[in-house]
Amino acid sequence: MNNHNNEENNEEINRKRKNFHTHFENRCENLLEEEEDDELLKLSLMTPFRSTRPRIQPRENIESLSPPLILENHESSTLNLPQLAILTPTILKKETGQRKRRNSLKPKPGNAKEVIIETITPPFPWATNLIATVHTLQYLLSKQLFMISGDVQCKRCERRYTMEFDLKEKFVEIGSYVMKNKTLLKERAPSIWMTPLLPTCQFCKQENSVKPIICADKNKINWLFLLLGQMLGCCTLDELKFFCEHTDNHRTGAKDRVLFLAYLTLCRQVDPSGPFYR
Ligand SMILES: [Zn+2]
């Protein structure tokens, strides 16, 4: 593994991207079993977390505005998330610490120490006790959470049922798209996010017909399911603003801007070391 990484580091920038999927798959598969990677993990611990933020300049790989809803072959993608999933539990704690700044109650001047963190009972095994916040990919895979489920309803036959998405497969798909198009999108959601292509109904087989059932209690919205299904656009502007308010995105504005931020922020939650910073 170390050799592999060293090799990768020595390659030219434009070659790095091609290795993403191999790297990604290796990282994911090794997560559950790797014990010999202690040295690598120590190395990643010594790297300041925030310092990794601007390392990706995805300019050269902007190819298309059309999201690759289906990537037939992961190896053909050019996404590179070089440090994906090498976070350790220590870094996860750090991440939690950073979130302490996110408060519904802002500290009063002169009373800055009284920071109240609003927590909730996690509504799903993949959600944390912070509002609108999900666990990292590394955490979820380590807990054997490979599939993410959610409630849906067919617009045609109106059947309600639960469907699920493969976490790793879907995240690679979305992460690749964000990586390739982040600059080009100029912080606005593309039309495919604004008007999502919905799944086919498993009962009546109607295409583009199954919409997610979004919980009226915003604390219980299944954000990771919506991300993986690329169905965040089914949320109302109000729901998306709620998400942004609770995730340090104090932007208000048109739906395409708030929706873009929701995608980027959720990708960042899932892979904090990925190229998902503004
Ligand atoms: Zn149906």
Side-chain angles (χ1 to χ4, degrees), residues 89-102 117 128-130:
T90 307
I91 289 186
L92 288 175
K93 280 183 190 168
K94 207 169 170 182
E95 168 77 353
T96 305
Q98 287 164 350
R99 285 174 182 151
K100 286 181 182 172
R101 285 175 297 158
R102 183 205 317 159
I117 305 169
T128 73
N129 66 350
L130 296 172

Side-chain angles (χ1 to χ4, degrees), residues 9-57:
N9 289 338
N10 291 333
E11 285 175 352
E12 291 174 15
I13 291 170
N14 61 358
R15 279 205 60 199
K16 274 188 183 175
R17 292 161 194 254
K18 293 177 185 168
N19 289 333
F20 164 67
H21 281 289
T22 312
H23 179 73
F24 182 92
E25 296 292 334
N26 288 342
R27 288 298 313 163
C28 290
E29 279 157 22
N30 288 340
L31 272 175
L32 302 177
E33 57 199 40
E34 70 182 9
E35 304 239 315
E36 68 248 29
D37 257 358
D38 285 354
E39 290 306 312
L40 177 64
L41 293 176
K42 280 174 196 160
L43 276 177
S44 71
L45 268 176
M46 291 189 290
T47 308
F49 179 69
R50 284 289 175 189
S51 74
T52 60
R53 182 185 277 221
R55 70 184 176 283
I56 300 293
Q57 301 292 333

